[in-house]
Each structure stands twice: as C-alpha cells, then as structure tokens.
C-alpha cells in the first residue's frame, strides 16, 4: 500500500459539511499522514521543513480543499509558495517529487450545471483546473484523475458518505 500525505486546507473546518466528512474518512487510515494545514498553522507560520519531510515520505500527495474564488484557498496557495521551493521541488535539476502521484480532491458550492457554458460560473470547471494541475506537473509529479465534487451545498448524508467511500478507495483503502 502506498504512503499518502493529505494536505487538507479548509479555512473554516468547523463549518465544513462536505470536506469534513471526506477528511474524516481518510485521516486515520494506516498509510495516511493527514495534515490539516489551517489547524496546524493558524498563524500562517508553515513549518517548511516538516512539510517537505512529509512530502519526501509519501508516494501519493493529496491536495484537498473547497474551491474558493475558482481556485485553492489562500492557505494552500501559501503552502505551495513556501513548501514547493526552487531547487527543491523545481528548477536546477531538483527532482525530489519526481514520479510521486498527485491527487486533487476538491468540492464546489455550484452544482455541475453552474459550470456549464452560460451557467452561473460562465465557464466549464475544466477552465479552472490547469493552475492546480500545472503546479503538480511543474514539480515533476504525476497527475492523477482528480476527484471533483460539485454541488457540495446540496449534498445529503448519503451522497457525502458515498463520496467518502470513493475517496478512501482512491487512497487504496479496502
Ligand atoms: C470565500 C468563498 C469562496 C467560494 N468560491 C466558490 C467558487 O468560486 N466556486 C464554487 O463553486 N463555490 C465557491 N464557494 C463555495 C464552496 O466551494 C463550498 O462552500 C464548499 O465547497 C463546501 O464544502 P465544505 O462543506 O467542506 O465547506 C466559495 C465559498 C467561500 C466561503
């Protein structure tokens, strides 16, 4: 079973309905290092050494978060800026993350039709994806099919549980 690190960025974890269920479903799996970075670093002082060490140990790196303003919450953006450094994650022959798999797990408030051409968000969701995908690729990671969950506001308990099961399966749990 692969060793997984889950970088979980939810700025309001106590208010979460969707991501909390997902995170709770995987955080105690034996092969998972669960890192709720908004809780770990409430003052934004990310421990870069600890985060990089966690990435080195992992062969599957998960970025899990709600979509905020069409992209990752600021905390995950800060984590990218601090942790994925030049000479370590990219550039100058840096290859420490090379070949590690990257799984993007994200939820949107808008349902799938809100991301239709002419829908509330005006563009298909795939338009908003390349920044995240290319961040992984620029660091030489292998991009996996993401787990994108639309309509998080309207999900019922059964749907949340079904996605939680799917998420556990994506992390190799039986
Ligand atoms: C500041 C903020 C920005 C948001 N931006 C978007 C957005 O751009 N697109 C979208 O579909 N939902 C957006 N949402 C809705 C969240 O994605 C949604 O509340 C979240 O996925 C639900 O997951 P949770 O129950 O774990 O919080 C936004 C919510 C907040 C608070």
């Amino acid at each position: 079973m692969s060793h997984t690190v889950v970088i979980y960025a939810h700025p309001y974890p106590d208010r979460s309905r969707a991501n909390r269920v997902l995170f709770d479903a995987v955080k105690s799996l034996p092969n998972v290092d669960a890192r709720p970075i908004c809780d770990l670093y409430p003052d934004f002082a990310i421990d870069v050494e600890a985060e990089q060490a966690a990435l080195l140990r992992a062969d599957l790196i998960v970025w899990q978060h709600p979509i905020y303003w069409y992209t990752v919450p600021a905390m995950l953006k800060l984590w990218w800026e601090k942790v994925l450094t030049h000479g370590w994650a990219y550039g100058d022959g840096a290859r420490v993350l090379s070949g590690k798999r990257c799984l993007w797990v994200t939820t949107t408030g808008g349902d799938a039709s809100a991301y239709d051409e002419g829908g509330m968000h005006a563009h298909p969701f795939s338009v908003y994806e390349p920044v995240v995908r290319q961040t992984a690729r620029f660091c030489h990671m292998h991009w996996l099919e993401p787990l994108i969950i639309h309509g998080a506001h309207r999900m019922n308990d059964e749907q949340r549980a079904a996605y939680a099961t799917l998420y556990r399966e994506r992390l190799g749990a039986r």
Side-chain angles (χ1 to χ4, degrees):
M1 192 184 270
S2 58
H3 183 71
T4 301
V5 62
V6 176
I7 307 300
Y8 175 47
H10 199 305
Y12 310 106
D14 297 339
R15 287 191 235 155
S16 168
R17 296 177 68 215
N19 281 277
R20 185 181 5 189
V21 172
L22 296 169
F23 187 62
D24 284 351
V26 301
K27 69 182 182 190
S28 302
L29 291 172
N31 60 323
V32 168
D33 176 6
R35 307 185 71 79
I37 56 174
C38 297
D39 292 339
L40 288 172
Y41 309 115
D43 54 1
F44 303 104
I46 294 171
D47 182 342
V48 172
E49 223 173 279
E51 296 302 310
Q52 290 184 339
L55 296 186
L56 288 180
R57 285 192 298 270
D59 37 42
L60 172 60
I61 294 167
V62 179
W63 291 327
Q64 186 201 330
H65 62 88
I67 289 289
Y68 277 10
W69 292 117
Y70 306 107
T71 187
V72 301
M75 186 63 185
L76 184 54
K77 181 66 164 48
L78 183 67
W79 184 97
W80 284 352
E81 291 172 20
K82 298 277 186 187
V83 177
L84 303 178
T85 50
H86 180 261
W88 188 81
Y90 70 94
D92 291 342
R95 285 288 187 278
V96 291
L97 301 178
S98 180
K100 293 180 188 284
R101 290 167 299 139
C102 184
L103 174 65
W104 187 32
V105 178
T106 194
T107 63
T108 71
D111 58 24
S113 66
Y115 286 96
D116 284 344
E117 213 74 54
M120 186 200 294
H121 296 303
H123 305 285
F125 189 77
S126 57
V127 164
Y128 304 109
E129 191 180 317
V131 168
V132 182
R133 186 173 63 226
Q134 182 55 20
T135 300
R137 288 202 171 137
F138 201 69
C139 297
H140 314 288
M141 289 188 260
H142 175 70
W143 184 248
L144 299 177
E145 183 64 33
L147 178 53
I148 295 165
I149 301 171
H150 292 299
H153 290 159
R154 292 193 194 165
M155 271 196 296
N156 59 33
D157 288 348
E158 218 168 277
Q159 290 166 319
R160 276 189 286 271
Y163 280 118
T165 300
L166 183 59
Y167 188 13
R168 285 168 63 90
E169 287 169 2
R170 293 294 304 270
L171 299 200
R174 307 224 155 79

